[in-house]
Amino acid sequence: DAGITQSPRHKVTETGTPVTLRCHQTENHRYMYWYRQDPGHGLRLIHYSYGVKDTDKGEVSDGYSVSRSKTEDFLLTLESATSSQTSVYFCATQDRARGGTEAFFGQGTRLTVV
Amino acid sequence: DQQVKQNSPSLSVQEGRISILNCDYTNSMFDYFLWYKKYPAEGPTFLISISSIKDKNEDGRFTVFLNKSAKHLSLHIVPSQPGDSAVYFCAANPQRKGAQKLVFGQGTRLTINP
């Protein structure tokens, strides 16, 4: 297993509050990703990073920001949480750039916005 | 608009028989296709991938078939085992190199009955 740790694993927060989810990897993988999983949608890409301080938007980036100041850490921030952001969030890492290369996923963070 | 679709939310198969999971896509620019398996409360794990220039890839009990003209791929598991019970996600990668901006289907829950 790739060493990917997501924290927290569970969080309940109130609408309008900021929330930061952390992904920490010990594999020195270059690429890191944040996905959300919702019923009927599978997983959808929020943001990704292709190196330290190099990030880009994914399919559902509105309301989210990310930062990567070190290779091992990728932070996802919800600036002002809304109920539509209640979801399970997965971080993933990838070491090689070839298209069929597997991505390694963390165990997920279940976020509830009330 | 869902670019990758898994139209069967669930599938039940007897142990020892073949499991066939299907996936359809709409974007002819997808370059790689991947299958991931997910157990409850865990992150997805990579199973197998196939390049768009191939029509079959096999790895042990798992075989993926790609029909580009029909924009359809399938995952065959034979023989099916109880440990195969999980949610299976089909994913597509529009890029041959660089960050994998995977587009996932909704998932199919496979149950293997003893």
Side-chain angles (χ1 to χ4, degrees), chain A residues 9 31 33 35 37 40-45 48 50 57 59 90 94 96-108, chain B residues 1-2 31-32 34 36 38 41-46 49 87 89 93 95-107:
Chain A
R9 293 293 312 280
Y31 300 95
Y33 308 83
Y35 288 90
Q37 183 192 5
H41 290 278
L43 285 85
R44 292 179 291 175
L45 181 64
Y48 65 97
Y50 45 96
K57 297 179 180 179
E59 180 188 357
F90 288 100
Q94 176 199 348
R96 290 177 291 163
R98 188 170 58 86
T101 305
E102 69 176 293
F104 298 92
F105 283 81
Q107 291 189 297
Chain B
D1 186 29
Q2 194 92 20
D31 206 49
Y32 271 92
L34 306 91
Y36 280 82
K38 185 183 180 304
E42 295 185 9
T45 55
F46 172 80
S49 66
V87 176
F89 290 99
N93 184 11
Q95 302 192 167
R96 186 177 297 258
K97 292 190 290 186
Q100 275 194 34
K101 293 182 277 187
L102 295 178
V103 180
F104 282 83
Q106 308 96 309

Side-chain angles (χ1 to χ4, degrees), chain B residues 28-83:
Chain B
S28 58
M29 300 302 292
F30 286 139
D31 206 49
Y32 271 92
F33 301 90
L34 306 91
W35 285 93
Y36 280 82
K37 172 181 179 180
K38 185 183 180 304
Y39 292 120
E42 295 185 9
T45 55
F46 172 80
L47 267 180
I48 191 168
S49 66
I50 186 167
S51 163
S52 60
I53 63 173
K54 298 192 174 184
D55 55 18
K56 177 182 175 181
N57 189 25
E58 190 172 353
D59 184 2
R61 297 187 297 114
F62 302 92
T63 303
V64 57
F65 296 93
L66 176 61
N67 182 334
K68 285 181 64 178
S69 60
K71 293 190 176 69
H72 177 84
L73 66 156
S74 60
L75 174 69
H76 292 213
I77 306 172
V78 56
S80 300
Q81 300 174 353

Side-chain angles (χ1 to χ4, degrees), chain A residues 65-104:
Chain A
S65 62
V66 290
S67 66
R68 192 168 178 201
S69 58
K70 298 184 289 185
T71 299
E72 57 265 36
D73 290 326
F74 193 32
L75 304 181
L76 176 71
T77 297
L78 291 66
E79 303 291 347
S80 177
T82 68
S83 58
S84 65
Q85 293 176 312
T86 292
S87 187
V88 181
Y89 291 84
F90 288 100
C91 171
T93 71
Q94 176 199 348
D95 60 350
R96 290 177 291 163
R98 188 170 58 86
T101 305
E102 69 176 293
F104 298 92

Side-chain angles (χ1 to χ4, degrees), chain A residues 36 46-47 57-64 85:
Chain A
R36 59 178 288 176
I46 305 171
H47 280 280
K57 297 179 180 179
E59 180 188 357
V60 290
S61 60
D62 286 349
Y64 301 95
Q85 293 176 312

